Amino acid sequence: MDLKELKISLEEDIKSCSNLEDLEKIRVKYLGRKGLIKEYFKKLKDFSSDERKSAGKTLNELQERIKSFIEEKSKEFEEKRKPSIDLFIPGRKSETGSLHPISIVLKEIEEIFTGMGFEVVSGPEMESDYHNFEALNISKEHPTRDEQASFFVEEELILRTHTSPVQIRVMKSRKPPVRIIAPGKVYRVDPFDPSHSPVFHQLEGLYVDEGVSFAELKGTLEIFAKEFFGADTEIKFLPSYFPFTEPSAEVAISCAICKRKGCSTCGYTGWLEVLGCGMVHPRVFENVGYNTEKYTGYAFGFGIERMAMIKYRIPDIRLFYENEIDFLEIFK
Ligand code: PHE
């Protein structure tokens, strides 16, 4: 191949070069260690000095031409190759939140009671001594009023110790029939340990009308227990005392974990006490201006955390408030 042919071959290669791969082929073919230009330079020693001069010049020019062509085209081809949108870049992962287990359980409970005709209402967390105690027939001597037991904001103002004051607010503002549930936060000077928290949630229930009986209270709570804990759940009523109900009872459910065989959760009794209830005390009716001859009613109240702990076998109440992602994700 003489110099002329070399030039022609180069021009042809340049003409047909359309991408980075072609460009690399050209580089190797002409400028590579065994490329045509190098080979030609080696041949120069066999030339006469005049020929060598002009051939050397031509070769240098060709070499420059190839170099600048490669430089220019490589940029152009590189640009072309880049897509304007990179479809292969990994997406940014977005974290989704979820309802807190207390909200989930509350929703389940509300659905059961609204299905039985109860309406969901709420009351203030900061309550007067009157609504929290006095109107509920809780005497001045009652231990729950103790500064050791309640958070006082002012002398007559406290963070409510239970949701029962909502009973008073509802009855004062409405005539029977009244059928409500009132969920919300309550506050007590309690330690923060596996089974206590100074703030927790309760749910209050109240049904007042002509002829409401204790049998209805039993039936309603039994339906609730079976729907919430499972159809094989049994309940039993134990005599108890609350100043605002008469008669009063404590309700226990058959242990959801051992099915009454006895285990550490139920203290080997087979039963778990889960709520307080009773027939509304006539003195409470008097306090809200209801006719005690005409109306009767029942009320109940329970801790939402406790219900959740039993149903989902959560061993420590503090898990609800610590915002551990691993715990919360179980409920996603
Ligand atoms: N308020 C009571 C408590 O906090 C529960 C209760 C509510 C009992 C309604 C009877 C009727 O323990």
Side-chain angles (χ1 to χ4, degrees):
M1 192 190 275
D2 63 20
L3 261 181
K4 225 187 198 161
E5 284 169 334
L6 182 66
K7 246 182 176 172
I8 292 169
S9 135
L10 174 64
E11 288 311 321
E12 274 173 2
D13 284 343
I14 283 180
K15 232 190 239 165
S16 62
C17 171
S18 63
N19 56 40
L20 281 171
E21 285 71 35
D22 293 347
L23 209 56
E24 175 62 9
K25 274 184 202 149
I26 290 176
R27 193 190 64 77
V28 172
K29 182 173 172 184
Y30 295 96
L31 304 179
R33 247 186 319 127
K34 290 190 173 152
L36 290 172
I37 300 282
K38 282 263 162 66
E39 293 295 312
Y40 228 101
F41 269 119
K42 276 183 207 156
K43 278 189 204 158
L44 287 183
K45 66 178 186 307
D46 304 329
F47 286 24
S48 70
S49 71
D50 276 358
E51 279 175 330
R52 197 185 302 148
K53 236 184 178 175
S54 78
K57 195 174 164 235
T58 309
L59 280 176
N60 276 327
E61 280 167 7
L62 281 180
Q63 188 163 267
E64 279 317 301
R65 165 117 174 84
I66 299 167
K67 277 186 183 163
S68 61
F69 177 76
I70 289 176
E71 197 180 323
E72 178 192 324
K73 282 290 169 181
S74 64
K75 270 188 210 145
E76 188 187 313
F77 292 148
E78 209 97 55
E79 251 351 278
K80 264 196 202 148
R81 188 182 256 195
K82 261 190 231 156
S84 50
I85 301 170
D86 188 347
L87 299 172
F88 300 100
I89 211 164
R92 267 183 227 121
K93 204 178 152 219
S94 63
E95 296 285 343
T96 52
S98 59
L99 286 179
H100 190 276
I102 293 295
S103 302
I104 293 171
V105 168
L106 178 56
K107 219 168 117 189
E108 289 177 18
I109 296 171
E110 284 181 353
E111 264 164 29
I112 296 169
F113 282 108
T114 52
M116 291 192 279
F118 286 80
E119 177 196 343
V120 183
V121 302
S122 62
E125 287 171 29
M126 200 158 67
E127 264 297 5
S128 65
D129 180 277
Y130 173 78
H131 287 98
N132 197 83
F133 299 129
E134 203 68 47
L136 287 162
N137 196 34
I138 299 174
S139 69
K140 286 270 185 245
E141 295 74 36
H142 198 279
T144 186
R145 285 184 178 232
D146 199 312
E147 275 177 62
Q148 308 289 312
S150 310
F151 288 109
F152 279 84
V153 180
E154 291 166 12
E155 204 178 318
E156 294 293 312
L157 209 56
I158 55 160
L159 297 178
R160 66 181 178 188
T161 58
H162 52 177
T163 43
S164 300
V166 186
Q167 289 188 38
I168 303 300
R169 291 185 175 271
V170 169
M171 287 191 282
K172 283 222 177 217
S173 64
R174 301 183 191 185
K175 296 225 162 329
V178 163
R179 183 153 33 180
I180 58 101
I181 51 171
K185 290 192 187 74
V186 299
Y187 302 81
R188 292 179 190 179
V189 184
D190 272 343
F192 200 38
D193 67 23
S195 53
H196 295 89
S197 166
V199 188
F200 63 101
H201 298 77
Q202 274 193 342
L203 184 131
E204 194 79 10
L206 173 71
Y207 177 32
V208 183
D209 202 351
E210 286 181 49
V212 175
S213 70
F214 198 92
E216 277 173 272
L217 169 63
K218 288 183 84 170
T220 303
L221 292 179
E222 187 167 0
I223 288 169
F224 164 70
K226 285 185 189 297
E227 287 203 18
F228 185 72
F229 291 109
D232 57 350
T233 309
E234 296 168 67
I235 67 169
K236 73 175 177 185
F237 285 71
L238 307 152
S240 187
Y241 170 78
F242 298 100
F244 39 95
T245 46
E246 179 57 37
S248 301
E250 202 83 51
V251 172
I253 59 160
S254 52
C255 180
I257 291 158
C258 66
K259 307 280 175 220
R260 283 187 59 192
K261 285 192 188 74
C263 68
S264 59
T265 303
C266 60
Y268 300 94
T269 62
W271 296 93
L272 296 162
E273 283 176 15
V274 290
L275 65 82
C277 63
M279 301 305 290
V280 179
H281 198 291
R283 228 174 274 159
V284 174
F285 279 156
E286 280 162 21
N287 291 339
V288 298
Y290 277 10
N291 183 345
T292 54
E293 297 296 315
K294 197 168 170 197
Y295 298 114
T296 51
Y298 64 71
F300 58 86
F302 56 76
I304 294 169
E305 279 84 344
R306 179 148 168 81
M307 293 291 184
M309 287 167 81
I310 295 169
K311 180 160 178 175
Y312 295 106
R313 305 189 185 183
I314 298 163
D316 193 320
I317 197 170
R318 293 171 293 192
L319 285 164
F320 291 118
Y321 320 114
E322 284 168 347
N323 293 332
E324 279 288 344
I325 294 290
D326 288 347
F327 170 71
L328 297 174
E329 277 192 334
I330 298 169
F331 298 88
K332 244 186 188 176

